[in-house]
Amino acid sequence: MLLYPSVSSAAWAEVSGPRCSGTVLQLSVQEQGDTRADRFRFTLRLEAEASSTAAALEQLNGRLARVRTDLTPLALGGLDVSAPSTFPINRSQSSDRYRASTTIRGSVSRSNYDTVIQRAGRLPGVRLQGMTSLASAQGQTELEERLLKRALDRGQSQAASTASALGLSQVKLLRIDQRSQPAPRELAMAATAAPRFRPGEAPLPTRTLMLTLDYCLS
């Protein structure tokens, strides 16, 4: 009977068994699956342009205030705003211009998914760069447990087939080296998006599990 160790994000587990008096077989198994999206992480690019850095920053501050007013009530845990950057824009046959920009990130529930997209699309200077689907803690745990069981079952089956090909009958699991990682699926959005967007149509949160399994064949 196999012992299924508990799973945690970006963690590894190792199960040690007795020494092998037969043939050691090492297998690499990878499984990927998805689960229901519980919330979404959005990324916004906010820009302003003027004839000087001071004027560009002033305009950026005004636009940021509007973003905060419209989106903070919808964001789970508030907004994360990076420090602004400014740089000149050199255009041929025209005076120099300066651009100020910042990145805004936040998370939104399924019920406010479309509302954030629509509001962001109507704000001046805003580009909605993408929405990343996120699973709930329970959904993520259940997905990892499901992937682990599938990976162990597949490894056991492959080891049994190899043992049979070698004329051996005993298969014993010696060691598990486990790693799991999220596979974010970001959905790009246009800032001027007009149609209504449904959270159920967004790419599902995915996860990849990789196991290195050592078996003793005898």
Side-chain angles (χ1 to χ4, degrees):
M1 180 177 179
L2 295 178
L3 175 64
Y4 291 175
S6 60
V7 185
S8 62
S9 176
W12 66 273
E14 186 174 299
V15 178
S16 298
R19 292 179 178 275
C20 179
S21 57
T23 300
V24 175
L25 172 68
Q26 185 174 88
L27 296 175
S28 294
V29 181
Q30 179 173 304
E31 291 287 341
Q32 187 178 84
D34 54 43
T35 188
R36 181 180 184 272
D38 175 69
R39 63 196 188 285
F40 301 87
R41 182 173 61 245
F42 59 85
T43 302
L44 307 176
R45 179 75 171 177
L46 179 62
E47 296 182 343
E49 186 177 325
S51 58
S52 68
T53 56
L57 281 172
E58 183 177 358
Q59 185 184 90
L60 186 72
N61 287 334
R63 290 180 172 181
L64 178 58
R66 174 77 182 278
V67 171
R68 285 175 172 145
T69 298
D70 285 11
L71 299 187
T72 297
L74 303 174
L76 301 173
L79 302 174
D80 295 325
V81 182
S82 65
S85 61
T86 59
F87 53 91
I89 307 172
N90 293 316
R91 296 177 175 174
S92 59
Q93 298 180 346
S94 67
S95 59
D96 287 346
R97 301 280 291 177
Y98 294 86
R99 180 174 295 162
S101 65
T102 187
T103 300
I104 303 168
R105 294 182 175 87
S107 297
V108 63
S109 65
R110 292 177 64 92
S111 61
N112 286 323
Y113 174 82
D114 180 69
T115 304
V116 165
I117 294 172
Q118 302 303 328
R119 288 192 184 180
R122 291 168 172 79
L123 292 172
V126 170
R127 287 190 294 116
L128 180 53
Q129 294 184 312
M131 300 281 274
T132 302
S133 303
L134 302 173
S136 66
Q138 179 180 349
Q140 178 176 300
T141 299
E142 291 175 351
L143 174 60
E144 290 176 340
E145 290 176 348
R146 187 166 68 248
L147 295 179
L148 177 61
K149 185 179 187 306
R150 276 166 39 187
L152 289 172
D153 288 346
R154 188 149 67 94
Q156 184 73 16
S157 177
Q158 292 179 8
S161 297
T162 302
S164 177
L166 295 174
L168 305 173
S169 58
Q170 300 296 319
V171 176
K172 182 182 294 184
L173 178 63
L174 299 177
R175 189 177 68 91
I176 301 173
D177 188 350
Q178 173 191 321
R179 289 174 175 80
S180 62
Q181 60 185 19
R185 302 176 65 183
E186 188 170 43
L187 178 63
M189 297 286 183
T192 55
R196 295 294 170 178
F197 291 88
R198 301 171 182 172
E201 296 175 341
L204 297 174
T206 63
R207 200 162 193 86
T208 299
L209 175 73
M210 293 170 286
L211 295 182
T212 299
L213 305 171
D214 289 354
Y215 292 91
C216 179
L217 311 181
S218 60

